[in-house]
Amino acid sequence: MPERTSLLRDLPRLLFLAAAGLLMLMPYIWMAAASLKPLDEIFRASLSLWPERFFAVENYGKVFARIPVGLYLWNGVVVCGGILLFQVLFAVPAGYALAKLRFRGRELVFGAVMLGLLVPPHVPALPLYVAFSQVGLLNTYTALIAPFTISVFAIFLFRQFFKSLPDDLIHAARLDGMSEMAIVWRVVLPNAWPAATAFAIFSVVAHWNDLFWPLIIANGDSHATPALGVLFFRSAEAGDDFGALMAAAMIMTAPLVIAFLLAQRRFVEGIASTGLKG
């Protein structure tokens, strides 16, 4: 009986959250439905998600036939994986130092990190482009990865999570003779997988969908990321064939959806446990 009462009390909130979630998913649902339709059904006055004529073979076949889908996806994996690797490599020790080490100017350094959150990525784009052009690194993986290797958001997120770790755990590792770097990678990081997973989702989604920087740096298909690949497909092949465009978008976003579904529990744990401790 108490369980039924609790369920009835929570029912309005659950229904509201379900409706809000469905509303947020509607653009993606429409995109999936449009990828299955011929062009004349997409813009009808009457909205119907299920197609009258199943056109998936034609739409998806056009995408796979006209653009190197595998290359775009591979470029996305290399770029996002490289960025995430370096971001974690730099952010974990920095977050640990700001959370657990005592040194002069620590709060000043943390304030500088917080100020870094206010700098939009478009601000350093021009000097970075000029620098990569002068050293001959345009249209390379290095140019796509290097500007994002240090993430102030990652430093902030890990610092907040590490603040919640018990100091006794750190002291015990020091008593065992472990160096600070050994503590970071062998003690602290294994206890920070929820935060690491949460940040990985943020990082991969942001850079997988990024169009601004790859559009500046990459020329042609060889280093095009998934978002840039969809743009190339629209410009050169699809034109106003929105069914094929939606099919291309579905293919390029499917890895993100699958990755999030697999990591959603860790993602929620990481956000819930990070908190906002000072």
Side-chain angles (χ1 to χ4, degrees):
M1 192 62 120
E3 293 181 0
R4 181 177 298 179
T5 303
S6 176
L7 179 61
L8 291 175
R9 185 174 63 251
D10 292 338
L11 187 60
R13 178 173 60 89
L14 295 175
L15 290 175
F16 172 78
L17 292 175
L22 183 62
L23 181 64
M24 296 298 173
L25 285 174
M26 278 307 298
Y28 193 82
I29 295 173
W30 184 88
M31 180 174 71
S35 71
L36 307 177
K37 297 179 179 181
L39 185 61
D40 61 323
E41 289 188 33
I42 294 177
F43 295 106
R44 285 184 179 177
S46 59
L47 178 62
S48 175
L49 294 178
W50 193 254
E52 295 179 7
R53 284 192 299 146
F54 201 69
F55 219 67
V57 174
E58 290 80 356
N59 288 335
Y60 285 89
K62 184 181 296 185
V63 177
F64 282 102
R66 298 187 180 182
I67 60 174
V69 173
L71 178 61
Y72 294 155
L73 294 176
W74 172 249
N75 289 339
V77 170
V78 171
V79 171
C80 294
I83 290 173
L84 179 61
L85 174 65
F86 283 107
Q87 285 178 338
V88 172
L89 189 65
F90 292 129
V92 170
Y96 169 77
L98 290 173
K100 294 300 183 182
L101 300 184
R102 300 290 182 266
F103 57 90
R104 188 185 300 272
R106 185 182 70 165
E107 297 305 321
L108 183 63
V109 173
F110 181 63
V113 170
M114 297 300 293
L115 287 175
L117 292 171
L118 303 178
V119 180
H122 307 84
V123 171
L126 181 58
L128 285 172
Y129 176 84
V130 172
F132 285 126
S133 177
Q134 290 179 347
V135 297
L137 288 177
L138 294 181
N139 200 36
T140 63
Y141 288 131
T142 301
L144 289 167
I145 293 172
F148 308 103
T149 53
I150 297 178
S151 169
V152 290
F153 174 70
I155 296 173
F156 168 74
L157 186 71
F158 281 113
R159 185 258 186 188
Q160 297 303 107
F161 186 86
F162 294 156
K163 291 280 286 186
S164 65
L165 292 179
D167 292 334
D168 292 342
L169 183 67
I170 310 299
H171 295 326
R174 288 172 181 159
L175 290 174
D176 286 341
M178 297 179 66
S179 65
E180 294 298 330
M181 290 304 294
I183 292 173
V184 168
W185 299 115
R186 296 173 58 186
V187 177
V188 174
L189 184 59
N191 287 281
W193 281 120
T197 304
F199 173 70
I201 294 293
F202 282 122
S203 176
V204 171
V205 169
H207 297 292
W208 188 277
N209 292 329
D210 182 28
L211 181 61
F212 175 75
W213 184 245
L215 186 60
I216 295 174
I217 291 297
N219 299 313
D221 293 329
S222 61
H223 292 84
T225 55
L228 190 57
V230 174
L231 181 64
F232 286 166
F233 178 60
R234 183 185 187 280
S235 301
E237 302 291 347
D240 293 330
D241 189 350
F242 289 98
L245 281 172
M246 295 302 102
M250 283 293 300
I251 294 169
M252 300 305 176
T253 56
L256 291 181
V257 176
I258 295 171
F260 179 78
L261 291 176
L262 293 175
Q264 61 176 328
R265 179 174 297 180
R266 290 281 189 175
F267 176 77
V268 173
E269 288 177 0
I271 295 300
S273 59
T274 297
L276 293 173
K277 294 187 177 183

